[in-house]
Amino acid sequence: MSILDSFRLDGKVALVTGAAYGIGFAMAKALAQAGAKIAFNCRSQSNMDRALADYEKEGIDARGYICDVTDEAQIAQLVKDIERDLGTIDILINNAGIIKRIPMLDTTCEEFRQVVDIDLVAPFIVSKAVIPGMIQKGGGKIINICSMMSELGRETVSAYAAAKGGLKMLTRNIASEYGEFNIQCNGIGPGYIATQQNAVLREKQPDGTPHPFDSFILAKTPAARWGTPEDLAGAAVFLSSSASDFINGHVLYVDGGILAYIGKQP
Ligand code: NAP
Ligand code: GCO
């Protein structure tokens, strides 16, 4: 197989969770361009209708399913439905996620648990549901979408950092436990990527000047810009493909250099 062919995903079945828009949509689009058949889920019919139209505009015949990643029974049904419609899942990207920005002392246990449920427990639930099929098929790829907060803390995101730090270790554990079945489980750690999730941190001030958080991120990022969802495309295809078959339990940070940098000197 030529090196470029080893990046192809022809005939592979990929499930990308929460891929109606944002980073999930961009990664699903990239996988489809590399030849994969795409399944995704989201929680509402209105998002589903919009997403299906967006995939169609890109020339992608994606299958959408309404389902909440935190619900074990719904996920079991989702996996069955995808097997019936497209075949056994070869690639899972655990992308669905939320963040709450609340100082830790003001965060209720319920809010903390909600973030951990979606960002950490759900990747466990979905991975658990697809791994048996991957073992039967002779292998598979699982990609967990981690974060800068898998490595770094920041004010107001205690639940998110706890969940994304945990997700990094779940990644290593899946790799450790199922590597012998030719399953590679890796993470992608996006830096600050301009999406709906952080739009509020990029809003201009009433006087037209940039949001202080926007300036903070530009100063913390050697690339001196926010990432785009498309910046994740190459890493997603690589870690989904046989080009990465001996890479397991790794988190690939796609962050414009943030983790390498001490910050702009005054
Ligand atoms: P986004 O624009 O807010 O999209 C998140 C997606 O997750 C939405 O499609 C959302 O669907 C879905 N989702 C949330 N809870 C769900 C649930 N319980 N069941 C099913 N789907 C659910 O966020 P994004 O910026 O694209 O982020 C995608 C992933 O990357 C997240 O895990 C996030 O933590 C991570 N990440 C983002 C950044 C960044 O800078 N943007 C950086 C590092 C990591 P609904 O419409 O149903 O809510
Ligand atoms: C925040 C951001 C981050 C990013 C991302 C960084 O409030 O600090 O929203 O959490 O979304 O996860 O990698």
Side-chain angles (χ1 to χ4, degrees), residues 18-79:
Y21 51 88
I23 290 174
F25 180 82
M27 292 189 299
K29 182 175 134 186
L31 265 49
Q33 285 172 356
K37 295 185 257 181
I38 302 300
F40 71 98
N41 70 305
C42 70
R43 288 181 291 187
S44 69
Q45 190 61 52
S46 54
N47 279 350
M48 179 61 70
D49 293 343
R50 216 170 311 132
L52 287 173
D54 288 344
Y55 279 107
E56 203 182 320
K57 253 185 257 158
E58 299 288 344
I60 298 165
D61 179 21
R63 295 290 180 113
Y65 305 83
I66 293 183
C67 146
D68 188 316
V69 286
T70 62
D71 186 317
E72 231 179 327
Q74 286 185 25
I75 289 299
Q77 189 58 48
L78 172 73
V79 171

Side-chain angles (χ1 to χ4, degrees), residues 204-223:
K204 288 235 187 302
Q205 302 287 84
D207 66 1
T209 56
H211 192 295
F213 196 88
D214 187 356
S215 311
F216 165 65
I217 290 305
L218 296 186
K220 284 294 284 180
T221 311

Side-chain angles (χ1 to χ4, degrees), residues 191-195 217 221 225-232 254-256:
Y192 279 80
I193 311 297
T195 67
I217 290 305
T221 311
R225 66 170 175 87
W226 286 70
T228 65
E230 289 69 29
D231 282 320
L232 282 317
V254 182
D255 65 353

Side-chain angles (χ1 to χ4, degrees), residues 198-259:
N198 46 43
V200 66
L201 303 176
R202 287 177 286 108
E203 270 168 13
K204 288 235 187 302
Q205 302 287 84
D207 66 1
T209 56
H211 192 295
F213 196 88
D214 187 356
S215 311
F216 165 65
I217 290 305
L218 296 186
K220 284 294 284 180
T221 311
R225 66 170 175 87
W226 286 70
T228 65
E230 289 69 29
D231 282 320
L232 282 317
V237 170
F238 172 54
L239 292 176
S240 297
S241 73
S242 63
S244 60
D245 275 355
F246 202 54
I247 298 176
N248 214 352
H250 185 76
V251 180
L252 176 51
Y253 289 98
V254 182
D255 65 353
I258 292 178
L259 288 180

Side-chain angles (χ1 to χ4, degrees), residues 147-165:
S147 164
M148 292 294 90
M149 273 74 221
S150 300
E151 300 293 338
L152 301 171
R154 154 171 134 59
E155 298 84 349
T156 75
V157 296
S158 58
Y160 186 77
K164 293 293 188 178

Side-chain angles (χ1 to χ4, degrees), residues 97-179:
I98 61 162
I99 190 167
K100 289 185 190 291
R101 300 182 186 95
I102 310 169
M104 187 175 123
L105 297 185
D106 299 328
T107 302
T108 63
C109 283
E110 198 189 338
E111 287 163 335
F112 193 93
R113 286 199 184 101
Q114 196 192 347
V115 174
V116 171
D117 249 3
I118 296 177
D119 292 0
L120 178 57
V121 181
F124 160 75
I125 291 173
V126 188
S127 301
K128 203 178 148 190
V130 305
I131 286 170
M134 289 178 170
I135 291 176
Q136 250 189 350
K137 209 170 175 180
K141 301 277 185 182
I142 299 177
I143 301 174
N144 291 326
I145 304 305
C146 297
S147 164
M148 292 294 90
M149 273 74 221
S150 300
E151 300 293 338
L152 301 171
R154 154 171 134 59
E155 298 84 349
T156 75
V157 296
S158 58
Y160 186 77
K164 293 293 188 178
L167 187 57
K168 175 180 71 177
M169 286 313 300
L170 179 65
T171 302
R172 291 182 182 165
N173 217 82
I174 293 173
S176 306
E177 216 166 329
Y178 297 102

